[in-house]
Amino acid sequence: MIDFAFLSDTFLKLSAALPVTLGLFISAFLCGGVLAVGILALRMSRWRLLSAFARGYILVFRGSPLMIQLFLIYYGLGQFGVIRHSVFWPFLREPFTCAVLALSLCTAAYTAEILRGALLAVPPGQVEAGMACGMSRGLLLRRIIAPVMLRYALPAYSTEAILLVKSTALASLVTVWDVTGVAQQIIQRTYRTMEVFLCAAAIYLILNFIIVQLYALLERRLTPVHKVEKMPSPAAKGLSPEENKHV
């Protein structure tokens, strides 16, 4: 028999940890997005050394599991004395910061490739038209290239955002008490795995549904709508075929 009282109580307890999950997601999403733009610039550079560095970065972070990257950052960085005695150590010794760093580095690699594909899909004719109009490089990027590239990148970028939300669950492995971490604590006390994880899955599902709707709204805003007005037919004007010849 379903214990609705336990389900509702568990859902409320897990919802209290939702700000931590949102903090992980938003921080990693913003930091990863900024880093992805830099990686994209290196990837598209004419300098082979810079392009090779970006290729290697993307290969490493796309080709290795996120959990291993998280463990290397959380447990591995503290083994270097230069890091322990640096100004960054007060931040890097915090589980939340290490989780954000691992998520940001990983999602930046995927996002850079998404943006690169969208950039290559920008029609050359639009760029040439902007140059013919005398647009500067900055204006061309802001008015033509960036909006079109963002429009092409949105479908894949929304998928990456959803994957990033689900990846925040790995932060519980380094004692970050997000939704998944609190769920594990409840399971250790109650041994009711099914009900607790169902509530956790419902929270992630609702969060991802909201993200999908936001991306769909943004996609509609960026999609140009061309309204084609149909010319009225001669019959609609009340003209005969003979009269229509003289129109």
Side-chain angles (χ1 to χ4, degrees), residues 24 27-33 35-36 57 61 66 98-109 164:
L24 286 170
S27 301
F29 184 81
L30 294 178
C31 295
L35 182 58
Y57 176 92
F61 284 95
L66 176 58
C98 290
V100 170
L101 180 59
L103 291 170
S104 301
L105 292 174
C106 184
T107 192
L164 181 60

Side-chain angles (χ1 to χ4, degrees), residues 103 162 179 236:
L103 291 170
I162 293 173
V179 173

Side-chain angles (χ1 to χ4, degrees), residues 27-189:
S27 301
F29 184 81
L30 294 178
C31 295
V34 173
L35 182 58
V37 174
I39 296 298
L40 174 63
L42 297 179
R43 179 69 174 81
M44 303 299 294
S45 175
R46 297 179 181 178
W47 297 89
R48 292 186 177 181
L49 185 61
L50 298 178
S51 179
F53 173 80
R55 289 172 182 267
Y57 176 92
I58 293 172
L59 176 63
V60 169
F61 284 95
R62 290 178 68 193
S64 58
L66 176 58
M67 184 176 67
I68 294 179
Q69 299 170 18
L70 178 60
F71 283 165
L72 287 175
I73 292 175
Y74 182 68
Y75 296 107
L77 292 181
Q79 298 181 6
F80 299 96
V82 64
I83 295 180
R84 289 198 307 271
H85 297 90
S86 67
V87 296
F88 302 105
W89 181 240
F91 302 98
L92 294 177
R93 68 183 180 185
E94 296 295 330
F96 184 89
T97 306
C98 290
V100 170
L101 180 59
L103 291 170
S104 301
L105 292 174
C106 184
T107 192
Y110 288 94
T111 304
E113 281 297 280
I114 292 172
L115 295 179
R116 187 177 73 90
L119 179 61
L120 295 177
V122 175
Q126 296 186 10
V127 179
E128 294 173 359
M131 295 175 63
C133 293
M135 289 186 177
S136 63
R137 280 186 144 183
L139 184 61
L140 189 67
L141 177 64
R142 189 174 67 252
R143 298 292 297 273
I144 296 180
I145 298 178
V148 176
M149 182 180 69
L150 180 60
R151 171 65 184 83
Y152 288 152
L154 274 181
Y157 202 18
S158 63
T159 302
E160 175 60 23
I162 293 173
L163 292 175
L164 181 60
V165 171
K166 295 189 291 186
S167 298
T168 58
L170 293 176
S172 62
L173 299 176
V174 292
T175 67
V176 176
W177 303 121
D178 63 334
V179 173
T180 304
V182 174
Q184 292 175 349
Q185 288 182 326
I186 297 175
I187 291 173
Q188 291 174 0
R189 294 195 303 265

